[in-house]
Amino acid sequence: MNIVDIINKKRLRHHLAKEELEYAFMGYLNEKIESYQISALLMAICINGMTEEETINLTKIFIDSGDILDLSSIPGIKVDKHSTGGVGDKTTLVIAPIVASCGVYMAKMSGRGLGYTGGTIDKLESIKGFKTALSEEEFLKELRDIGLVISSQTTSLAPLDKKIYALRDVTGTVESYPLIASSIMSKKIASGADKIVIDLKLGKGALIHTKEDANKLKEILIKIGNSFKKETRVIITSMDNPLGNNVGNSLEVIEAMEVLKGNIDTPFAKLCIELASNLVSMGKNIPMMEAEQEVIKVLKNNQAYHKFLKLVEYQQGDINSLKISDQKIEIRSAKNGILKGIDAKLIGEISMKLGAGRLTKDDTIDHEVGIVLNKQVNDKIVENDLLCTLYVNKVKDEFNIREAFIIE
Ligand code: URA
């Protein structure tokens, strides 16, 4: 086999056999294929796509490049959830304790944020002492003991995806749905859960911008799940506006805790309830209506909130350590009108520039900074109304944040 022939085949829209994909991708992992060659193949895939069979084969190659977490020692159905990423997306912090409170095991490996989207692990690390790197033994013990665990992804799971994702990030090859689908599903399947819910973000602040692409991605995600005998549900949700009111690490943990304390009338809380209900419905094999009733019950009676505190304590975090910077910049409206939208991407980028996110993977982040949105979409705005509050530390700049508020 020859890598140039494989690249040419994909460039000419031919089907690649599993052995050819394996030769190219595993060759890259084993440093036998150069990064410029695999980059050319990734670009050809981006432009010409992959068949269902190729996508499933690539997923298998990613999975087989590392270990598969064995959760079989934990009784019952184990569920997992993944979001394709967005601004202000702290749903895992709410959903995992809800699902565990309903009696379904939730084993979650999460990531760190890069660019304008945040990562669950960074959010949890705003709680001092919270241990995010767990050994397999610790992961399984916690899952068995309290019904949930959230840990950073070990390097042994799907290492090929990690290496390819880093390359996609710098070669303009992220936005391809066969590549996104195989990347997501390989990590989920290697993490060992039996049933999976994917929160597929669609909109200006998401990877996927059209309904058509979202539906194509949904279809292939479900097909990959089925081919590995993992029931998979995909919920397409909007990411035109930031999710919830708070963007930034400590701020997002605080907002998640508000929902867990039973404040469930916000669009963000409603999304958490929808995702959690799907997980409970799958985990217990019960209809959605019944699952939703259980979810609302554990939110209203504070069981989910106490489960979250238990998770923090088990992973050695001190919940009282959560801190927001005491330096604020208030941003007020220069005009009257209706708030038609809030540009999620711009809010995410400015939050990152304030220090809440990282531009390169080696940047350190400031957990105390971020943005609180003081107005919601469709609110009436009067000149001088408070639009948002920036919590700042080292970088004291409002950037062009007013442009994120579309007032007409
Ligand atoms: N999330 C992933 O894990 N992989 C992708 O390719 C895109 C989003």
Side-chain angles (χ1 to χ4, degrees):
M1 247 179 273
N2 176 318
I3 184 65
V4 179
D5 290 345
I6 294 173
I7 297 168
N8 276 329
K9 243 177 129 172
K10 189 37 80 184
R11 182 175 60 79
L12 297 169
R13 296 170 181 258
H14 296 308
H15 178 94
L16 294 179
K18 179 156 189 259
E19 296 67 36
E20 290 171 312
L21 288 168
E22 212 155 37
Y23 177 85
F25 282 89
M26 284 308 290
Y28 177 57
L29 184 66
N30 298 328
E31 294 175 0
K32 294 198 178 103
I33 302 287
E34 299 293 340
S35 64
Y36 51 81
Q37 293 172 312
I38 204 78
S39 300
L41 180 58
L42 287 168
M43 187 54 84
I45 291 172
C46 251
I47 293 167
N48 292 332
M50 288 209 289
T51 62
E52 195 180 303
E53 190 187 345
E54 286 174 309
T55 311
I56 291 170
N57 282 337
L58 185 59
T59 310
K60 178 130 183 54
I61 294 166
F62 283 155
I63 296 169
D64 291 344
S65 71
D67 299 335
I68 298 177
L69 193 59
D70 180 5
L71 301 180
S72 62
S73 63
I74 314 287
I77 294 171
K78 278 75 63 181
V79 298
D80 195 359
K81 165 262 170 192
H82 183 85
S83 158
T84 56
V87 176
D89 189 349
K90 68 290 280 176
T91 49
T92 294
L93 303 179
V94 180
I95 292 167
I98 296 176
V99 171
S101 299
C102 293
V104 176
Y105 288 99
M106 177 107 179
K108 183 87 184 80
M109 296 260 183
S110 285
R112 291 178 191 281
L114 187 61
Y116 64 89
T117 61
T120 302
I121 292 301
D122 297 322
K123 293 169 202 190
L124 284 169
E125 283 179 351
S126 48
I127 305 169
K128 279 216 174 61
F130 195 102
K131 187 171 165 191
T132 53
L134 304 178
S135 68
E136 188 172 327
E137 241 178 20
E138 288 169 326
F139 188 90
L140 292 175
K141 181 170 182 335
E142 185 173 347
L143 185 58
R144 201 174 293 117
D145 287 351
I146 65 167
L148 81 163
V149 54
I150 306 178
S151 147
S152 52
Q153 194 181 311
T154 61
T155 49
S156 63
L157 293 191
L160 176 56
D161 170 63
K162 196 171 173 163
K163 194 165 174 188
I164 290 292
Y165 194 83
L167 193 60
R168 283 169 60 207
D169 213 26
V170 293
T171 54
T173 53
V174 169
E175 290 173 39
S176 143
Y177 59 85
L179 293 178
I180 295 173
S182 46
S183 164
I184 292 174
M185 292 307 280
S186 62
K187 285 177 287 214
K188 292 293 104 183
I189 293 162
S191 301
D194 306 299
K195 301 192 177 189
I196 300 160
V197 167
I198 309 280
D199 180 10
L200 202 174
K201 297 287 184 208
L202 164 66
K204 290 190 209 112
L207 278 179
I208 303 293
H209 304 291
T210 68
K211 186 88 184 131
E212 195 193 350
D213 277 348
N215 282 329
K216 277 190 205 154
L217 182 54
K218 174 175 176 171
E219 196 184 321
I220 187 70
L221 286 165
I222 292 172
K223 282 193 175 142
I224 297 174
N226 289 344
S227 77
F228 288 90
K229 306 223 167 2
K230 310 273 184 187
E231 189 192 338
T232 304
R233 289 191 195 170
V234 179
I235 324 283
I236 299 175
T237 66
S238 163
M239 186 35 80
D240 282 327
N241 306 304
L243 196 51
N245 295 334
N246 294 10
V247 179
N249 299 284
S250 297
L251 285 167
E252 292 192 40
V253 176
I254 290 167
E255 189 175 18
M257 284 166 70
E258 282 303 310
V259 179
L260 289 166
K261 284 177 190 165
N263 296 320
I264 57 173
D265 289 329
T266 61
F268 166 59
K270 289 193 169 74
L271 171 66
C272 293
I273 292 170
E274 185 186 357
L275 295 171
S277 302
N278 271 285
L279 288 161
V280 172
S281 150
M282 290 164 100
K284 292 187 149 179
N285 280 319
I286 57 175
M288 269 297 278
M289 283 253 286
E290 207 178 309
E292 193 176 307
Q293 280 165 6
E294 287 199 27
V295 165
I296 291 175
K297 187 170 154 206
V298 299
L299 281 168
K300 290 224 160 128
N301 69 12
N302 269 346
Q303 234 180 300
Y305 177 60
H306 286 113
K307 192 59 105 173
F308 176 75
L309 295 181
K310 185 97 204 149
L311 171 86
V312 171
E313 187 192 323
Y314 204 105
Q315 290 185 227
Q316 298 162 32
D318 172 8
I319 198 65
N320 298 316
S321 68
L322 267 181
K323 192 165 173 297
I324 304 164
S325 174
D326 47 21
Q327 302 179 62
K328 292 192 245 178
I329 304 176
E330 291 186 342
I331 305 294
R332 293 182 180 275
S333 177
K335 57 181 184 178
N336 299 322
I338 302 289
L339 183 56
K340 295 285 185 189
I342 305 174
D343 184 331
K345 191 166 178 208
L346 187 55
I347 294 286
E349 281 166 356
I350 293 175
S351 171
M352 180 189 77
K353 287 180 190 163
L354 292 176
R358 36 176 98 71
L359 194 53
T360 73
K361 69 179 176 22
D362 300 320
D363 290 346
T364 53
I365 63 174
D366 184 342
H367 296 99
E368 296 179 15
V369 301
I371 300 167
V372 172
L373 304 171
N374 300 102
K375 291 285 180 201
Q376 285 299 311
V377 175
N378 293 328
D379 279 357
K380 187 165 176 246
I381 309 287
V382 177
E383 193 183 329
N384 212 35
D385 269 357
L386 183 60
L387 294 176
C388 68
T389 309
L390 312 187
Y391 289 84
V392 299
N393 232 338
K394 281 194 203 117
V395 183
K396 295 179 183 58
D397 192 331
E398 59 182 68
F399 299 97
N400 52 338
I401 197 152
R402 259 192 205 79
E403 286 171 22
F405 294 83
I406 301 140
I407 301 169
E408 284 169 3

